Amino acid sequence: MRHDPILKQLVSLNVLLVEDDPDDAMLLGVLLEELPGNPFQVRRATTLERALDLIAVERPDVILLDLDLPDTSGLRSVESLHAAWPELPIVVLTASDDDRLAIGAVRAGAQDYLVKGRVDSWGLGRALRHSLERHRLMAELDESRRQERHRATHDPLTGLPNRALFFDRLNHAIDHGMRRRELLAVVYLDLDGFKPVNDRLGHGVGDQVLTQTAARLSLVVRRSDTIARLGGDEFGVLFERLPDRATAVALMDGLQTALRDPIIVGPHSCQLSLSAGLALYPDDGTNADALISFADEQMYLQKLGLRPSDDRMLRIV
């Protein structure tokens, strides 16, 4: 009998065997016991329901799954397990030597497909090991892709959605608002007094001020709202499903209270404020560009009318 040297080097793995036939289960157990070093510890479930219960408690390393079970059959078995526990690798074991079924099982979430009676001890152990490694590599690839998508749609400094994602969500919100005849609001925010922070204290402190501002704004918006960094010291907020303009104004006022207390960065205490402009769909615009432009204009008007002198706007201790 051949032996995979990798099997001798790796620690024992916990295998959940989902198999209702006692003869098949005994044979598989014997095959795994023949491997040197006892690399697999096997626990058995005879139904999919029992398997799901055991997984929740014991979290096996890999699942060896028979497709024909008392409470489910075929690819539904794989789909159910993968949907419930996508982080666990699945090796399918069946009596059917069907290429279409094998491909379907892999597409449904399995890592490998073995035919009963055509696999020896070495092949079974190798399939289980390799399924775990393939699953790990696929998980790493998925995570890498997720991070890449996140970098493309989020601001690297604050972690907030960036301008592109904000416009995308705003366009979707406008479509929903049009169909449902609902109001939505865009608030354009500018951080007053931020330039003196960068000039006097440096960009490192300025970055921390922006990060803390983003964190405070995130605390005062609703979970259903979207807050984004649009660029520099400018932020945008999308409020959906509003009953009236008064509610939008109240929500905007709540944003401006986020900087009521000074921002502390090391030994420095920075008292800043926010200028804000509001645009309501459909009253102030019926597309994303129009709403952003109107809110930006309103923010600028507020800045001109209410903005104090630089000394009052920024106090650095």
Side-chain angles (χ1 to χ4, degrees):
M1 181 177 64
R2 297 171 295 173
H3 296 307
D4 189 341
I6 297 178
L7 293 178
K8 298 180 181 180
Q9 302 170 10
L10 299 177
V11 297
S12 176
L13 294 180
N14 294 318
V15 178
L16 176 59
L17 171 61
V18 189
E19 170 64 75
D20 64 313
D21 188 302
D23 293 333
D24 286 342
M26 183 176 65
L27 176 60
L28 291 166
V30 169
L31 290 177
L32 292 177
E33 287 176 359
E34 289 178 355
L35 291 168
N38 195 22
F40 298 100
Q41 300 297 320
V42 182
R43 184 70 183 274
R44 180 186 169 205
T46 58
T47 65
L48 180 64
E49 181 180 5
R50 177 58 178 158
L52 292 172
D53 291 340
L54 284 176
I55 292 170
V57 175
E58 300 184 4
R59 300 293 180 92
D61 297 305
V62 60
I63 300 170
L64 187 57
L65 174 67
D66 180 23
L67 288 187
D68 295 317
L69 298 169
D71 54 347
T72 184
S73 63
L75 297 181
R76 289 194 301 272
S77 306
V78 184
E79 293 166 351
S80 298
L81 270 178
H82 182 67
W85 298 97
E87 66 272 27
L88 294 180
I90 300 170
V91 175
V92 165
L93 188 66
T94 179
S96 176
D97 187 6
D98 186 335
D99 288 341
R100 290 176 299 179
L101 184 60
I103 293 172
V106 172
R107 287 177 176 173
Q111 294 300 312
D112 208 340
Y113 181 96
L114 301 177
V115 179
K116 292 181 180 180
R118 297 191 181 182
V119 60
D120 58 12
S121 179
W122 178 87
L124 178 58
R126 188 176 180 86
L128 292 172
R129 288 290 189 192
H130 287 188
S131 71
L132 192 66
E133 180 64 14
R134 281 194 296 272
H135 190 77
R136 184 187 65 80
L137 292 174
M138 289 178 63
E140 290 179 355
L141 180 59
D142 288 343
E143 177 61 18
S144 176
R145 289 170 175 169
R146 188 197 65 78
Q147 292 179 4
E148 194 65 33
R149 289 193 298 268
H150 188 273
R151 284 192 291 268
T153 57
H154 288 74
D155 174 51
L157 176 64
T158 64
L160 294 177
N162 61 16
R163 191 179 190 91
L165 181 55
F166 185 75
F167 267 81
D168 182 67
R169 291 184 179 177
L170 177 54
N171 282 318
H172 282 292
I174 291 172
D175 290 340
H176 291 163
M178 185 183 303
R179 290 197 300 269
R180 299 168 182 167
R181 296 186 179 181
E182 293 177 340
L183 299 178
L184 62 89
V186 171
V187 177
Y188 204 103
L189 299 165
D190 183 82
L191 187 57
D192 298 324
F194 179 68
K195 186 176 184 300
V197 170
N198 270 338
D199 292 344
R200 300 180 193 181
L201 303 179
H203 291 283
V205 173
D207 286 349
Q208 293 187 55
V209 166
L210 288 173
T211 300
Q212 290 194 41
T213 298
R216 291 192 187 185
L217 291 173
S218 297
L219 290 175
V220 299
V221 299
R222 304 169 304 177
R223 182 172 296 183
S224 58
D225 302 327
T226 295
I227 177 169
R229 185 184 178 199
L230 302 181
D233 59 351
E234 296 177 339
F235 299 86
V237 182
L238 168 62
F239 295 114
E240 298 186 58
R241 300 184 179 181
L242 298 174
D244 49 44
R245 182 178 288 271
T247 301
V249 172
L251 290 170
M252 181 180 69
D253 291 342
L255 291 169
Q256 292 184 287
T257 66
L259 296 186
R260 185 163 41 196
D261 298 326
I263 291 177
I264 308 299
V265 180
H268 308 293
S269 175
C270 307
Q271 184 70 62
L272 298 96
S273 61
L274 287 166
S275 293
L278 175 70
L280 198 70
Y281 169 88
D283 298 352
D284 304 321
T286 56
N287 60 64
D289 288 331
L291 289 170
I292 291 289
S293 178
F294 188 87
D296 188 15
E297 291 173 2
Q298 296 302 304
M299 181 273 295
Y300 186 67
L301 290 175
Q302 184 186 94
K303 187 182 291 288
L304 289 178
L306 302 177
R307 182 173 181 173
S309 66
D310 284 345
D311 288 338
R312 289 168 54 203
M313 192 165 45
L314 170 65
R315 298 195 300 276
I316 302 176
V317 179

